[in-house]
Amino acid sequence: LITLTLGGAIFIAVFNLRASMMVFVEQIGKYFLADANVNFYQAYPFQEVESYVMQIPGVKRVEGWAGLNTELLREDGSGVDTVTILAPPADSELIEPIMLEGRWILPGDENAIVLNNAFWRSYPNLKVGDEIKLKFRNRETSWKIVGFYKFPGDTELLAYTSYKYLTDLLYVPNRVFAIRVVGEEHSPAAQEKLAKDLKQVLDSRGFQAGDVQ
């Protein structure tokens, strides 16, 4: 009886762990729907990058993203935490956020920002409609919280905003810090080949690409 009880308990525990892991993977996948992601060391004109990438066999379409690391400011103006901001096009089809409260970024949004659940762990009093101050490149900027989304894990402060607004704010309109590429095939082998082709083409054209995932 003890053996059967222990065996049943172990089976249930393993089954629950596997189910939790699958949910975790599924949730992460909603934020990385492209077949390949490329990050650049500097901003490049999107149309120029797109023109070369679209020549690669098997590429279906390309999205240009922006992003940067900022510093969350206290009321006295001192920095307290690092916040990573990602900025996809407002009409991006390569992300399916799991909303917890409020709404996602909309076309025409300016200083709107959506925060992940990690903010509630560190700043439980934050709510939709509040304003936060972020500092980057020695500039202090104000942002209005329009929503909160769920991202697996609650340790890193992650936020999303409008690509157009962020690139205008950084004085690099129509430039990208990263691209998300969709291929015609989505198998692991096809994605691996796409990543290699992307790295080769971008390097040959002089783009300083970092990691290709």
Side-chain angles (χ1 to χ4, degrees):
L1 181 59
I2 292 175
T3 302
L4 289 174
T5 301
L6 288 175
I10 292 172
F11 172 79
I12 293 173
V14 171
F15 183 82
N16 288 338
L17 178 62
R18 181 180 182 278
S20 298
M21 182 183 68
M22 295 304 293
V23 170
F24 182 84
V25 171
E26 181 181 357
Q27 290 179 347
I28 287 181
K30 290 180 179 294
Y31 298 91
F32 300 94
L33 296 178
D35 291 297
N37 304 326
V38 182
N39 294 318
F40 297 111
Y41 290 116
Q42 65 184 67
Y44 292 104
F46 175 61
Q47 290 186 340
E48 184 179 353
V49 176
E50 183 184 32
S51 65
Y52 291 122
V53 172
M54 288 302 297
Q55 297 176 21
I56 299 175
V59 171
K60 189 175 181 180
R61 62 189 178 93
V62 185
E63 274 190 7
W65 289 40
L68 78 165
N69 289 327
T70 67
E71 197 172 30
L72 183 63
L73 299 179
R74 296 189 179 95
E75 291 184 0
D76 62 3
S78 61
V80 58
D81 275 314
T82 298
V83 178
T84 298
I85 297 182
L86 299 175
D91 59 351
S92 174
E93 297 179 357
L94 300 182
I95 181 171
E96 296 178 357
I98 305 170
M99 298 303 299
L100 297 173
E101 185 177 306
R103 64 170 177 84
W104 190 245
I105 301 298
L106 298 176
D109 276 342
E110 294 195 348
N111 64 331
I113 195 168
V114 182
L115 310 179
N116 72 336
N117 46 294
F119 280 86
W120 277 339
R121 177 183 55 81
S122 302
Y123 308 96
N125 294 326
L126 283 180
K127 60 184 183 298
V128 172
D130 288 350
E131 287 195 357
I132 59 173
K133 294 187 181 297
L134 300 175
K135 182 179 181 181
F136 54 89
R137 298 183 180 179
N138 296 319
R139 297 172 59 190
E140 182 178 313
T141 58
S142 295
W143 302 78
K144 183 177 180 180
I145 302 172
V146 297
F148 287 88
Y149 72 95
K150 181 179 181 180
F151 189 83
D154 62 350
T155 56
E156 185 176 1
L157 300 178
L158 301 173
Y160 283 85
T161 190
S162 162
Y163 164 80
K164 184 179 186 308
Y165 179 74
L166 184 61
T167 52
D168 286 345
L169 193 66
L170 296 173
Y171 306 112
V172 288
N174 302 316
R175 290 177 173 258
V176 294
F177 294 88
I179 56 173
R180 302 283 173 97
V181 184
V182 179
E184 295 176 354
E185 297 184 25
H186 312 298
S187 66
Q191 291 173 341
E192 184 176 354
K193 184 179 185 305
L194 176 59
K196 291 180 179 178
D197 291 343
L198 280 167
K199 182 66 173 174
Q200 181 179 359
V201 169
L202 293 172
D203 286 348
S204 68
R205 297 296 181 176
F207 297 105
Q208 296 183 21
D211 55 328
V212 180
Q213 301 174 340

